[in-house]
């Protein structure tokens, strides 16, 4: 039997239909997610493999997407090593004692298989259930800069003032922080593949807050080391960030096989900048205005995607919580029926 279309498109091969999945498809807008999840912390849900595997599968059943993404969070490994992370509903990750000085490096100890055993159990349960339809599971982690923005700022930020100050005034401390995060991220991602994930995405969601010089000096090296540390696994890897139009050529040098393109950039222009297989880039806000509007927006993206092989349809960022799931069902149908990129 041939490999799933998602994996073949990721390798730049031709496919029977254009593959599609949605960032943040697990959770958020699904009523069946809210019913299952209850009101506890998302970190408690992540600690429960049976629950997390079920949440991983819900969007695959509902939407008929071509890939599942592990239900977890970018702060999971740091929570697991006891850094003191919580995730506040409606707000995001908050840190009890933010990273401020070299003495905090000790709190970023190496991660062990015991620390992430619950996540790997979720991977195994999800993969076993996905075998029936041969749907690949995408594993993921946060990229060092984006996760560091939470660890250093202590909470979600729009300005990135604390972390940018640290970069520029204490570059050696910032580099040591990146070193610790690379050391945690590589074994954590490798373990996901060892337990059955068939692709990996690195979320550098907030990289777009950096200038080109800052990205090249402070974010690209750690990102490159992570993809170097995954190379021998031979699975497709995706690097994604929001507002990264001016960084795409630099991101393309990080070593992922695919670069995610956010909705601010036309796909054809984005692909010219990365010269690599692409993923994206429907504006998630255009899924809020009903089915007809979302279909129109989907067709605009499909037109920009063109006919060349090596594209995976996605949103340009995560599903917005108020999205009507029936709209996403229709988007999947339209992509499958009308997508031309690499379709024989
Ligand atoms: O794609 C998926 O649905 C898989 C699960 C997933 C979650 N977080 C679950 C989650 C993934 C891939 C993430 C990644 C993540 N987490 C990123 C990178 C992706 C992106 O959107 O840029 C970032 C920046 C985070 C940090 C984080 N965690 C934020 C900003 C929030 C939102 C807070 C909120 O309530 O709006 C979270 C919480 C979170 N992670 C939720 C989910 C489903 C929602 C809250 C909940 O259900 O408790």
């Amino acid at each position: 039997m041939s490999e799933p279309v998602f994996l073949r498109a990721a390798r730049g091969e031709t496919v029977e239909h254009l593959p599609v999945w949605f960032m943040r498809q697990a959770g958020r807008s699904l009523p069946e997610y809210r019913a299952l999840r209850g009101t506890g912390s998302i970190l408690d849900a992540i600690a429960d493999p049976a629950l997390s595997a079920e949440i991983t599968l819900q969007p695959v059943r509902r939407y008929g997407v071509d890939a599942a993404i592990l239900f977890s969070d970018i702060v999971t490994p740091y929570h697991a090593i006891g850094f003191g992370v919580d995730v506040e509903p409606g707000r995001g990750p908050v840190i009890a004692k933010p990273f401020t000085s070299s003495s905090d490096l000790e709190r970023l100890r190496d991660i062990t298989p015991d620390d992430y055993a619950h996540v790997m159990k979720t991977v195994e349960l999800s993969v076993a259930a996905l075998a029936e339809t041969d749907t690949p599971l995408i594993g993921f982690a946060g990229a060092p800069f984006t996760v560091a923005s939470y660890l250093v700022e202590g909470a979600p930020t729009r300005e990135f003032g604390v972390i940018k100050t640290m970069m520029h005034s204490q570059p050696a401390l910032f580099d040591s922080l990146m070193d610790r995060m690379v050391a945690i991220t590589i074994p954590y991602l490798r373990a996901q593949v060892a337990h059955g994930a068939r692709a990996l995405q690195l979320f550098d969601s907030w990289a777009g807050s950096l200038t080109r010089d800052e990205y090249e000096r402070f974010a690209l090296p750690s990102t490159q080391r992570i993809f170097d540390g995954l190379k021998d696994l031979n699975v497709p890897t995706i690097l994604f960030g929001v507002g990264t139009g001016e960084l795409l050529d630099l991101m393309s040098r990080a070593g992922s096989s695919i670069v995610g393109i956010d909705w601010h950039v036309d796909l054809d222009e984005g692909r010219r900048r990365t010269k690599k297989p692409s993923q994206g880039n429907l504006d998630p806000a255009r899924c809020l205005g009903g089915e007809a509007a979302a279909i129109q927006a989907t067709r605009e993206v499909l037109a920009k995607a063109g006919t060349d092989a090596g594209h995976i349809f996605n949103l340009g960022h995560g599903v917005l919580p108020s999205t009507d799931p029936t709209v996403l069902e229709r988007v999947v149908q339209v992509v499958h029926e009308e997508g031309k990129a690499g379709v024989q």
Side-chain angles (χ1 to χ4, degrees):
M1 211 174 77
S2 69
E3 278 201 298
V5 286
F6 170 86
L7 296 175
R8 279 183 286 133
R11 297 199 171 94
E13 295 168 19
T14 55
V15 282
E16 306 80 74
H17 65 259
L18 188 60
V20 48
W21 69 282
F22 303 116
M23 291 186 279
R24 299 285 201 103
Q25 67 190 12
R28 308 227 111 192
S29 62
L30 285 178
E32 56 266 39
Y33 166 77
R34 287 193 217 108
L36 253 187
R37 240 296 264 112
T39 50
S41 165
I42 188 173
L43 293 169
D44 294 334
I46 291 166
D48 179 343
L51 177 64
S52 294
E54 173 59 21
I55 296 170
T56 300
L57 299 170
Q58 282 178 341
V60 179
R61 289 191 207 112
R62 165 81 84 137
Y63 299 131
V65 281
D66 297 276
I69 182 155
L70 175 69
F71 178 74
S72 181
D73 196 80
I74 58 171
V75 294
T76 301
Y78 303 90
H79 176 61
I81 61 166
F83 194 80
V85 183
D86 203 357
V87 180
E88 280 183 15
R91 186 160 177 236
V94 288
I95 311 296
K97 279 175 59 197
F99 181 97
T100 58
S101 71
S102 57
S103 65
D104 293 315
L105 289 166
E106 284 163 31
R107 296 163 58 210
L108 289 165
R109 64 165 173 83
D110 283 343
I111 198 163
T112 67
D114 277 352
D115 297 322
Y116 52 59
H118 58 298
V119 179
M120 300 314 148
K121 187 74 196 162
T122 302
V123 171
E124 283 175 6
L125 292 173
S126 306
V127 166
L130 291 164
E132 202 179 316
T133 51
D134 199 23
T135 305
L137 177 73
I138 304 169
F140 76 93
F145 166 72
T146 287
V147 181
S149 76
Y150 292 107
L151 303 190
V152 172
E153 302 269 348
T157 172
R158 280 168 196 235
E159 295 84 19
F160 300 88
V162 185
I163 191 162
K164 287 185 183 176
T165 300
M166 181 183 286
M167 278 174 181
H168 291 284
S169 66
Q170 296 178 276
L173 176 62
F174 183 84
D175 287 345
S176 302
L177 171 59
M178 294 295 104
D179 287 349
R180 292 309 311 140
M181 299 181 89
V182 169
I184 290 165
T185 306
I186 293 174
Y188 179 67
L189 286 172
R190 291 185 68 91
Q192 294 178 47
V193 172
H195 288 264
R198 293 163 84 180
L200 293 171
Q201 177 153 327
L202 196 64
F203 284 94
D204 208 352
S205 301
W206 314 137
S209 66
L210 300 174
T211 64
R212 287 178 63 83
D213 284 349
E214 286 171 334
Y215 183 80
E216 201 167 6
R217 164 65 183 84
F218 296 110
L220 181 59
S222 54
T223 310
Q224 274 169 333
R225 280 159 60 204
I226 290 172
F227 287 118
D228 261 2
L230 305 172
K231 228 172 10 195
D232 61 300
L233 297 177
N234 241 334
V235 296
T237 51
I238 308 161
L239 175 62
F240 168 77
V242 185
T244 53
E246 296 303 318
L247 304 176
L248 284 174
D249 59 317
L250 298 173
M251 289 172 71
S252 168
R253 294 194 340 226
S256 65
S257 43
I258 299 162
V259 177
I261 297 176
D262 80 283
W263 75 93
H264 299 91
V265 185
D266 286 345
L267 258 187
D268 48 357
E269 177 56 24
R271 284 164 67 106
R272 275 194 287 279
R273 293 180 188 187
T274 60
K275 303 183 173 62
K276 285 210 171 166
S278 50
Q279 175 175 282
N281 75 347
L282 174 61
D283 181 351
R286 296 201 60 193
C287 296
L288 300 181
E291 245 175 71
I295 289 170
Q296 166 64 26
T298 301
R299 289 185 173 137
E300 290 168 21
V301 173
L302 289 175
K304 298 277 185 202
T307 55
D308 289 351
H311 182 63
I312 293 161
F313 193 98
N314 204 312
L315 302 179
H317 193 190
V319 175
L320 294 166
S322 58
T323 308
D324 175 352
T326 60
V327 168
L328 294 183
E329 281 171 42
R330 284 291 291 136
V331 170
V332 169
Q333 283 169 2
V334 170
V335 172
H336 282 169
E337 284 162 16
E338 301 178 24
K340 296 277 188 299
V343 177
Q344 294 145 322

